[in-house]
mmCIF file of all heavy atoms in Angstrom:
data_model
loop_
_atom_site.group_PDB
_atom_site.id
_atom_site.type_symbol
_atom_site.label_atom_id
_atom_site.label_comp_id
_atom_site.label_asym_id
_atom_site.label_seq_id
_atom_site.Cartn_x
_atom_site.Cartn_y
_atom_site.Cartn_z
ATOM 1 N N VAL A 276 3.331 -7.066 9.094
ATOM 2 C CA VAL A 276 2.908 -6.299 7.918
ATOM 3 C C VAL A 276 1.680 -6.986 7.240
ATOM 4 O O VAL A 276 0.899 -6.322 6.612
ATOM 5 C CB VAL A 276 4.044 -6.196 6.894
ATOM 6 C CG1 VAL A 276 3.631 -5.555 5.611
ATOM 7 C CG2 VAL A 276 5.186 -5.386 7.505
ATOM 8 N N ILE A 277 1.511 -8.237 7.544
ATOM 9 C CA ILE A 277 0.363 -8.957 6.963
ATOM 10 C C ILE A 277 -0.931 -8.567 7.641
ATOM 11 O O ILE A 277 -2.016 -8.658 7.046
ATOM 12 C CB ILE A 277 0.626 -10.473 7.052
ATOM 13 C CG1 ILE A 277 1.842 -10.839 6.271
ATOM 14 C CG2 ILE A 277 -0.579 -11.279 6.588
ATOM 15 C CD1 ILE A 277 1.824 -10.510 4.806
ATOM 16 N N LEU A 278 -0.892 -8.060 8.845
ATOM 17 C CA LEU A 278 -2.146 -7.628 9.517
ATOM 18 C C LEU A 278 -2.938 -6.544 8.728
ATOM 19 O O LEU A 278 -4.157 -6.655 8.592
ATOM 20 C CB LEU A 278 -1.825 -7.162 10.976
ATOM 21 C CG LEU A 278 -1.363 -8.265 11.911
ATOM 22 C CD1 LEU A 278 -0.972 -7.682 13.243
ATOM 23 C CD2 LEU A 278 -2.420 -9.304 12.073
ATOM 24 N N PRO A 279 -2.278 -5.518 8.195
ATOM 25 C CA PRO A 279 -3.023 -4.604 7.405
ATOM 26 C C PRO A 279 -3.614 -5.209 6.147
ATOM 27 O O PRO A 279 -4.667 -4.843 5.680
ATOM 28 C CB PRO A 279 -2.038 -3.455 7.050
ATOM 29 C CG PRO A 279 -0.917 -3.621 8.037
ATOM 30 C CD PRO A 279 -0.903 -5.015 8.479
ATOM 31 N N VAL A 280 -2.873 -6.233 5.632
ATOM 32 C CA VAL A 280 -3.394 -6.915 4.426
ATOM 33 C C VAL A 280 -4.717 -7.638 4.771
ATOM 34 O O VAL A 280 -5.673 -7.569 4.006
ATOM 35 C CB VAL A 280 -2.332 -7.894 3.884
ATOM 36 C CG1 VAL A 280 -2.900 -8.783 2.803
ATOM 37 C CG2 VAL A 280 -1.122 -7.131 3.354
ATOM 38 N N VAL A 281 -4.717 -8.285 5.894
ATOM 39 C CA VAL A 281 -5.949 -9.001 6.304
ATOM 40 C C VAL A 281 -7.044 -8.025 6.576
ATOM 41 O O VAL A 281 -8.197 -8.243 6.162
ATOM 42 C CB VAL A 281 -5.637 -9.845 7.619
ATOM 43 C CG1 VAL A 281 -6.940 -10.451 8.148
ATOM 44 C CG2 VAL A 281 -4.658 -10.973 7.267
ATOM 45 N N ALA A 282 -6.749 -6.880 7.154
ATOM 46 C CA ALA A 282 -7.740 -5.830 7.393
ATOM 47 C C ALA A 282 -8.302 -5.277 6.067
ATOM 48 O O ALA A 282 -9.506 -5.100 5.945
ATOM 49 C CB ALA A 282 -7.180 -4.718 8.231
ATOM 50 N N LEU A 283 -7.431 -5.066 5.094
ATOM 51 C CA LEU A 283 -7.872 -4.609 3.783
ATOM 52 C C LEU A 283 -8.722 -5.645 3.093
ATOM 53 O O LEU A 283 -9.751 -5.278 2.431
ATOM 54 C CB LEU A 283 -6.656 -4.266 2.916
ATOM 55 C CG LEU A 283 -5.927 -2.964 3.247
ATOM 56 C CD1 LEU A 283 -4.652 -2.816 2.484
ATOM 57 C CD2 LEU A 283 -6.846 -1.750 2.993
ATOM 58 N N LEU A 284 -8.377 -6.895 3.175
ATOM 59 C CA LEU A 284 -9.221 -7.947 2.551
ATOM 60 C C LEU A 284 -10.587 -8.044 3.231
ATOM 61 O O LEU A 284 -11.581 -8.286 2.575
ATOM 62 C CB LEU A 284 -8.481 -9.300 2.551
ATOM 63 C CG LEU A 284 -7.263 -9.367 1.624
ATOM 64 C CD1 LEU A 284 -6.537 -10.658 1.837
ATOM 65 C CD2 LEU A 284 -7.704 -9.236 0.169
ATOM 66 N N ALA A 285 -10.568 -7.914 4.560
ATOM 67 C CA ALA A 285 -11.843 -7.933 5.294
ATOM 68 C C ALA A 285 -12.700 -6.713 4.866
ATOM 69 O O ALA A 285 -13.931 -6.875 4.680
ATOM 70 C CB ALA A 285 -11.615 -7.921 6.781
ATOM 71 N N LEU A 286 -12.095 -5.547 4.728
ATOM 72 C CA LEU A 286 -12.816 -4.376 4.233
ATOM 73 C C LEU A 286 -13.361 -4.573 2.847
ATOM 74 O O LEU A 286 -14.532 -4.254 2.588
ATOM 75 C CB LEU A 286 -11.906 -3.158 4.282
ATOM 76 C CG LEU A 286 -12.466 -1.869 3.667
ATOM 77 C CD1 LEU A 286 -13.565 -1.336 4.558
ATOM 78 C CD2 LEU A 286 -11.378 -0.868 3.459
ATOM 79 N N LEU A 287 -12.564 -5.132 2.001
ATOM 80 C CA LEU A 287 -13.002 -5.440 0.610
ATOM 81 C C LEU A 287 -14.188 -6.393 0.647
ATOM 82 O O LEU A 287 -15.190 -6.192 -0.111
ATOM 83 C CB LEU A 287 -11.874 -6.025 -0.159
ATOM 84 C CG LEU A 287 -12.034 -6.067 -1.670
ATOM 85 C CD1 LEU A 287 -12.108 -4.634 -2.214
ATOM 86 C CD2 LEU A 287 -10.832 -6.762 -2.281
ATOM 87 N N ALA A 288 -14.150 -7.453 1.436
ATOM 88 C CA ALA A 288 -15.242 -8.393 1.501
ATOM 89 C C ALA A 288 -16.502 -7.729 2.058
ATOM 90 O O ALA A 288 -17.630 -7.951 1.572
ATOM 91 C CB ALA A 288 -14.860 -9.610 2.368
ATOM 92 N N PHE A 289 -16.368 -6.919 3.100
ATOM 93 C CA PHE A 289 -17.494 -6.223 3.673
ATOM 94 C C PHE A 289 -18.149 -5.288 2.682
ATOM 95 O O PHE A 289 -19.394 -5.291 2.541
ATOM 96 C CB PHE A 289 -17.054 -5.451 4.899
ATOM 97 C CG PHE A 289 -18.166 -4.625 5.541
ATOM 98 C CD1 PHE A 289 -19.109 -5.264 6.326
ATOM 99 C CD2 PHE A 289 -18.242 -3.232 5.345
ATOM 100 C CE1 PHE A 289 -20.144 -4.518 6.894
ATOM 101 C CE2 PHE A 289 -19.247 -2.537 5.930
ATOM 102 C CZ PHE A 289 -20.198 -3.153 6.722
ATOM 103 N N VAL A 290 -17.373 -4.487 1.981
ATOM 104 C CA VAL A 290 -17.904 -3.568 0.989
ATOM 105 C C VAL A 290 -18.566 -4.350 -0.135
ATOM 106 O O VAL A 290 -19.639 -3.968 -0.614
ATOM 107 C CB VAL A 290 -16.801 -2.638 0.448
ATOM 108 C CG1 VAL A 290 -17.287 -1.854 -0.731
ATOM 109 C CG2 VAL A 290 -16.407 -1.672 1.555
ATOM 110 N N TYR A 291 -17.942 -5.438 -0.526
ATOM 111 C CA TYR A 291 -18.550 -6.244 -1.619
ATOM 112 C C TYR A 291 -19.923 -6.791 -1.223
ATOM 113 O O TYR A 291 -20.874 -6.714 -1.975
ATOM 114 C CB TYR A 291 -17.612 -7.399 -1.996
ATOM 115 C CG TYR A 291 -18.188 -8.297 -3.047
ATOM 116 C CD1 TYR A 291 -18.262 -7.911 -4.378
ATOM 117 C CD2 TYR A 291 -18.746 -9.525 -2.685
ATOM 118 C CE1 TYR A 291 -18.841 -8.708 -5.348
ATOM 119 C CE2 TYR A 291 -19.318 -10.347 -3.662
ATOM 120 C CZ TYR A 291 -19.359 -9.937 -4.966
ATOM 121 O OH TYR A 291 -19.937 -10.741 -5.918
ATOM 122 N N LEU A 292 -20.022 -7.345 -0.028
ATOM 123 C CA LEU A 292 -21.255 -7.938 0.415
ATOM 124 C C LEU A 292 -22.345 -6.887 0.685
ATOM 125 O O LEU A 292 -23.532 -7.129 0.529
ATOM 126 C CB LEU A 292 -21.019 -8.759 1.659
ATOM 127 C CG LEU A 292 -20.232 -10.036 1.436
ATOM 128 C CD1 LEU A 292 -19.948 -10.755 2.744
ATOM 129 C CD2 LEU A 292 -20.949 -10.975 0.444
ATOM 130 N N ARG A 293 -21.945 -5.674 1.108
ATOM 131 C CA ARG A 293 -22.925 -4.643 1.415
ATOM 132 C C ARG A 293 -23.374 -3.847 0.168
ATOM 133 O O ARG A 293 -24.524 -3.386 0.149
ATOM 134 C CB ARG A 293 -22.349 -3.668 2.425
ATOM 135 C CG ARG A 293 -22.026 -4.272 3.763
ATOM 136 C CD ARG A 293 -23.297 -4.639 4.499
ATOM 137 N NE ARG A 293 -24.020 -3.425 4.805
ATOM 138 C CZ ARG A 293 -25.253 -3.405 5.311
ATOM 139 N NH1 ARG A 293 -25.860 -4.572 5.532
ATOM 140 N NH2 ARG A 293 -25.838 -2.288 5.622
ATOM 141 N N ARG A 294 -22.523 -3.696 -0.799
ATOM 142 C CA ARG A 294 -22.850 -2.794 -1.911
ATOM 143 C C ARG A 294 -22.931 -3.456 -3.271
ATOM 144 O O ARG A 294 -23.167 -2.791 -4.281
ATOM 145 C CB ARG A 294 -21.798 -1.689 -1.976
ATOM 146 C CG ARG A 294 -21.818 -0.850 -0.762
ATOM 147 C CD ARG A 294 -21.112 0.486 -1.017
ATOM 148 N NE ARG A 294 -21.204 1.284 0.182
ATOM 149 C CZ ARG A 294 -20.622 2.430 0.326
ATOM 150 N NH1 ARG A 294 -19.857 2.861 -0.619
ATOM 151 N NH2 ARG A 294 -20.719 3.121 1.441
ATOM 152 N N ALA A 295 -22.764 -4.747 -3.335
ATOM 153 C CA ALA A 295 -22.786 -5.412 -4.637
ATOM 154 C C ALA A 295 -24.248 -5.377 -5.171
ATOM 155 O O ALA A 295 -25.188 -5.725 -4.459
ATOM 156 C CB ALA A 295 -22.341 -6.875 -4.471
ATOM 157 N N PRO A 296 -24.428 -4.987 -6.385
ATOM 158 C CA PRO A 296 -25.751 -4.959 -7.006
ATOM 159 C C PRO A 296 -26.311 -6.367 -7.192
ATOM 160 O O PRO A 296 -27.474 -6.588 -7.221
ATOM 161 C CB PRO A 296 -25.568 -4.226 -8.300
ATOM 162 C CG PRO A 296 -24.126 -4.396 -8.663
ATOM 163 C CD PRO A 296 -23.401 -4.510 -7.349
ATOM 164 N N VAL A 297 -25.391 -7.324 -7.380
ATOM 165 C CA VAL A 297 -25.747 -8.713 -7.670
ATOM 166 C C VAL A 297 -24.835 -9.656 -6.908
ATOM 167 O O VAL A 297 -23.587 -9.428 -6.882
ATOM 168 C CB VAL A 297 -25.606 -9.018 -9.161
ATOM 169 C CG1 VAL A 297 -25.896 -10.478 -9.429
ATOM 170 C CG2 VAL A 297 -26.533 -8.157 -9.982
ATOM 171 N N LEU A 298 -25.357 -10.600 -6.202
ATOM 172 C CA LEU A 298 -24.553 -11.619 -5.570
ATOM 173 C C LEU A 298 -24.833 -12.952 -6.259
ATOM 174 O O LEU A 298 -25.947 -13.447 -6.199
ATOM 175 C CB LEU A 298 -24.906 -11.723 -4.067
ATOM 176 C CG LEU A 298 -24.521 -10.564 -3.198
ATOM 177 C CD1 LEU A 298 -25.021 -10.753 -1.783
ATOM 178 C CD2 LEU A 298 -23.043 -10.315 -3.206
ATOM 179 N N ARG A 299 -23.840 -13.469 -6.909
ATOM 180 C CA ARG A 299 -23.972 -14.720 -7.599
ATOM 181 C C ARG A 299 -22.739 -15.586 -7.385
ATOM 182 O O ARG A 299 -21.680 -15.073 -7.098
ATOM 183 C CB ARG A 299 -24.226 -14.504 -9.116
ATOM 184 C CG ARG A 299 -23.034 -13.930 -9.843
ATOM 185 C CD ARG A 299 -23.311 -13.848 -11.344
ATOM 186 N NE ARG A 299 -22.115 -13.460 -12.069
ATOM 187 C CZ ARG A 299 -21.182 -14.319 -12.444
ATOM 188 N NH1 ARG A 299 -21.289 -15.599 -12.217
ATOM 189 N NH2 ARG A 299 -20.086 -13.861 -13.082
ATOM 190 N N LYS A 300 -22.928 -16.867 -7.493
ATOM 191 C CA LYS A 300 -21.837 -17.780 -7.353
ATOM 192 C C LYS A 300 -20.978 -17.693 -8.601
ATOM 193 O O LYS A 300 -21.457 -17.749 -9.710
ATOM 194 C CB LYS A 300 -22.311 -19.208 -7.158
ATOM 195 C CG LYS A 300 -22.816 -19.500 -5.774
ATOM 196 C CD LYS A 300 -23.333 -20.924 -5.640
ATOM 197 C CE LYS A 300 -22.228 -21.928 -5.955
ATOM 198 N NZ LYS A 300 -22.667 -23.311 -5.736
ATOM 199 N N PRO A 301 -19.639 -17.598 -8.409
ATOM 200 C CA PRO A 301 -18.781 -17.615 -9.612
ATOM 201 C C PRO A 301 -18.738 -18.998 -10.251
ATOM 202 O O PRO A 301 -18.862 -20.002 -9.587
ATOM 203 C CB PRO A 301 -17.408 -17.209 -9.089
ATOM 204 C CG PRO A 301 -17.438 -17.496 -7.622
ATOM 205 C CD PRO A 301 -18.877 -17.402 -7.215
ATOM 206 N N LYS A 302 -18.584 -19.005 -11.548
ATOM 207 C CA LYS A 302 -18.495 -20.270 -12.244
ATOM 208 C C LYS A 302 -17.072 -20.805 -12.075
ATOM 209 O O LYS A 302 -16.127 -20.135 -11.728
ATOM 210 C CB LYS A 302 -18.776 -20.061 -13.736
ATOM 211 C CG LYS A 302 -20.257 -19.665 -13.989
ATOM 212 C CD LYS A 302 -20.469 -19.535 -15.473
ATOM 213 C CE LYS A 302 -21.918 -19.172 -15.757
ATOM 214 N NZ LYS A 302 -22.179 -19.010 -17.186
ATOM 215 N N ALA A 303 -16.973 -22.091 -12.371
ATOM 216 C CA ALA A 303 -15.659 -22.743 -12.202
ATOM 217 C C ALA A 303 -14.597 -22.156 -13.089
ATOM 218 O O ALA A 303 -13.447 -21.984 -12.639
ATOM 219 C CB ALA A 303 -15.785 -24.260 -12.531
ATOM 220 N N ASN A 304 -14.920 -21.789 -14.310
ATOM 221 C CA ASN A 304 -13.930 -21.198 -15.193
ATOM 222 C C ASN A 304 -13.478 -19.819 -14.702
ATOM 223 O O ASN A 304 -12.363 -19.423 -14.873
ATOM 224 C CB ASN A 304 -14.397 -21.172 -16.641
ATOM 225 C CG ASN A 304 -15.600 -20.260 -16.834
ATOM 226 O OD1 ASN A 304 -16.309 -19.858 -15.867
ATOM 227 N ND2 ASN A 304 -15.886 -19.970 -18.119
ATOM 228 N N GLU A 305 -14.389 -19.088 -14.099
ATOM 229 C CA GLU A 305 -14.032 -17.793 -13.509
ATOM 230 C C GLU A 305 -13.077 -17.939 -12.348
ATOM 231 O O GLU A 305 -12.116 -17.176 -12.203
ATOM 232 C CB GLU A 305 -15.267 -17.045 -13.073
ATOM 233 C CG GLU A 305 -16.181 -16.650 -14.211
ATOM 234 C CD GLU A 305 -17.545 -16.094 -13.761
ATOM 235 O OE1 GLU A 305 -17.906 -16.340 -12.567
ATOM 236 O OE2 GLU A 305 -18.191 -15.472 -14.558
#
Side-chain angles (χ1 to χ4, degrees):
V276 174
I277 298 301
L278 292 175
V280 171
V281 171
L283 285 171
L284 289 174
L286 173 70
L287 194 64
F289 177 76
V290 168
Y291 176 76
L292 291 174
R293 295 292 293 171
R294 296 197 178 173
V297 176
L298 293 176
R299 66 174 189 86
K300 282 179 60 174
K302 293 183 179 178
N304 63 346
E305 294 170 343

